[in-house]
Amino acid sequence: LQRALALARAPAACLNFNCMLILLPVCRNLLSFLRGSSACCSTRVRRQLDRNLTFHKMVAWMIALHTAIHTIAHLFNVEWSVQARVEEKGTLAAVLSTLGDNPHESYINFYRNTIGNPVGGLYVAFTYLAGLTGVIITLALILIITSSTKTIRRSYFEVFWYTHHLFVIFFIGLVIHGAGRIVRGQTAESLGEHDPEVCYKNFTHWGKEGACPIPQFSGNPPMTWKWVVGPMFLYLCERLVRFWRSQQKVVITKVVIHPFKTIELQMMKKGFKMEVGQYIFVKCPAVSKLEWHPFTLTSAPEEDYFSIHVRIVGDWTEGLFNACGCDKQEFQEAWKLPKIAVDGPFGTASEDVFSYETVMLVGAGIGVTPFASVLKSVWYKYCHDATNLKLKKIYFYWLCRDTHAFEWFADLLQSLEAQMQERNNAEFLSYNIYLTGWDESQATHFVVHHEEEKDVITGLKQKTLYGRPNWENEFKTIAGQHPGSRVGVFLCGPEGLADTLNKQSISNSEADPRGVHFIFNKENF
């Protein structure tokens, strides 16, 4: 019993620590405040804050591991405690288990019935506070973790969203789990009179004259609340701030239908201030009264509105598409557009783009959206005054599977291209557009029109490339052109591409502090 109790209590202590941490990475307003405070957050610290969801997942897996160990250990504890109550008299376990049956005695075995296993074990699980809350929070944790897989999040986001809110039940159960005080220990006063190391040898004579007195026990007070009350209060404040901001009026000023099942929502909100690359959470009550979905802002801080691009890929986005009247042929009046609630903006890695002299921006598919904000902001800065701009060179890569996806973004690139040429700084922006999904007829078409001045797909002077970039060559070329500089590498795209770019950033960075260094940053929300 002692061994199993130790195996239960050690992971319980780890659970307290991890449950204290699990809510902090999802306090988005707190992280945005820390990110924006240059006094307490250097660039290196901000890069760690950008990994908040990765940290959140790691802590969640540790909670799952310690919960499993804690539960298994307590299954043995319960079995042995129940067995001790029905065991034959004369053993130490039987004597300890009968303590508390007589007046002026305190018990150590929390199980007071005389029903054996397995009924006794089930009785403990579903009638004791510790057992019942343990079952509930374990089931809640299983549902939360199994619905958080990438497949569920992408294909059935609503399942992920609703089951994740079982964390409320999890934390309530966690706080009251130890209130029954079933884990008991000998009191300090009793330890002075009854030394367990000595008295266990004569357990049959306890309480008799000249022998050890009967030991007295008390329940250990619950400790979990002390660990989680602070983060729970911070998260409550976080949700109150989100609720307050969600009640502020948002006006949709324009809805633009782009090719490749993408719509653009242009909105206005009093007091809304943003930085490049930030994201917001959007709720459309006409589609769902509870669901919030994250979207990168595609507008620039210099514009008098803020915008998002939404690709229609699921039930919620399909509902938003229909609510905005995009499924109708006739013009939609502004007053017929649905109400929208907005929470944010929140900081991301892309905010640090302007802190580097040289950057690589890599977008895959709709992942190009945060860089739309960056490139728009660059365009506005060049239109007004670019003398104070630290950023001197942008290498932009866009990987897309289908030609139609280029159309909504090509206008921005054309404007930026013309602006750079007008100011005799065409070298400021080097962009490479890769079409990763193509067939033989497209390749033939590409060869026929390759000599034309502008690309037949995008209308840009830079020709569309087919296939995927050779990242090793790209990194080595940039390293050779910018010796001794820190190059920011920013990605919004899939995990596989993130691993590739992260490895290339490490392998192409020099050990010499004065050499070139690639700093990898990835969008996470």
Side-chain angles (χ1 to χ4, degrees), residues 107-140:
Y107 64 90
I108 184 173
N109 188 343
F110 66 90
Y111 183 68
R112 307 313 300 160
N113 288 338
T114 55
I115 305 171
N117 287 309
V119 177
L122 292 172
Y123 181 82
V124 171
F126 294 102
T127 61
Y128 281 67
L129 180 64
L132 189 59
T133 55
V135 170
I136 291 171
I137 62 180
T138 301
L139 289 175

Side-chain angles (χ1 to χ4, degrees), residues 431-444:
Y431 57 89
N432 297 281
I433 301 176
Y434 288 85
L435 188 61
T436 57
W438 54 290
D439 54 33
E440 189 176 342
S441 62
Q442 288 175 312
T444 305

